[in-house]
Amino acid sequence: MVLHSNGDAMPMYFFRVSYEDVGMIDEHGAEFANDKNACLEAMRAARELAADKIINGHDLNGIYFEITRSDRSLMDRMPLNAVSRGVIPEGA
C-alpha cells in the first residue's frame, strides 16, 4: 500500500478493455494519488494499446478503455479510436 504524504492510503483504480460487452479486467489495480493522475495514466495506457492494435492491423471501432475505482464503479470510458487520434474525451 502506498501512502500520501499525509499518511492516508492512496486510492486504488482498475483499468479494463471492453469490446462488444466482453471485457478484460485488471485484477491487480494500481494506486494513484487522485482521479486526475489515474486518468493521465489510463490515457497513456490506452494510447499504447491503440498503437499496438493499429500496428497489428486491428480495427479500433467498438473497443473501449475503462477506468474504475476500488468499488468497481465506472469513472471514465474512452473509445480507443478517439485516443489514437489524440482526442481526449470531455471530463478526462
Side-chain angles (χ1 to χ4, degrees):
M1 175 187 321
V2 179
L3 301 177
H4 284 285
S5 58
N6 67 4
D8 292 341
M10 292 202 317
M12 182 73 73
Y13 297 88
F14 297 87
F15 298 156
R16 172 186 160 150
V17 177
S18 66
Y19 177 73
E20 295 182 354
D21 297 328
V22 176
M24 296 179 350
I25 299 172
D26 171 8
E27 304 220 0
H28 302 287
E31 293 174 323
F32 296 98
N34 52 44
D35 288 356
K36 180 179 179 181
N37 288 357
C39 283
L40 290 172
E41 179 60 22
M43 183 62 72
R44 185 199 61 75
R47 284 183 175 148
E48 279 184 19
L49 178 62
D52 183 62
K53 295 265 184 212
I54 291 168
I55 288 168
N56 289 298
H58 296 217
D59 182 11
L60 300 181
N61 290 319
I63 303 175
Y64 294 88
F65 196 88
E66 301 171 342
I67 310 166
T68 63
R69 293 184 177 91
S70 59
D71 65 0
R72 301 298 178 148
S73 63
L74 184 64
M75 189 173 96
D76 200 359
R77 186 173 197 238
M78 301 173 271
L80 275 192
N81 60 0
V83 298
S84 69
R85 294 189 312 260
V87 176
I88 300 175
E90 283 186 39

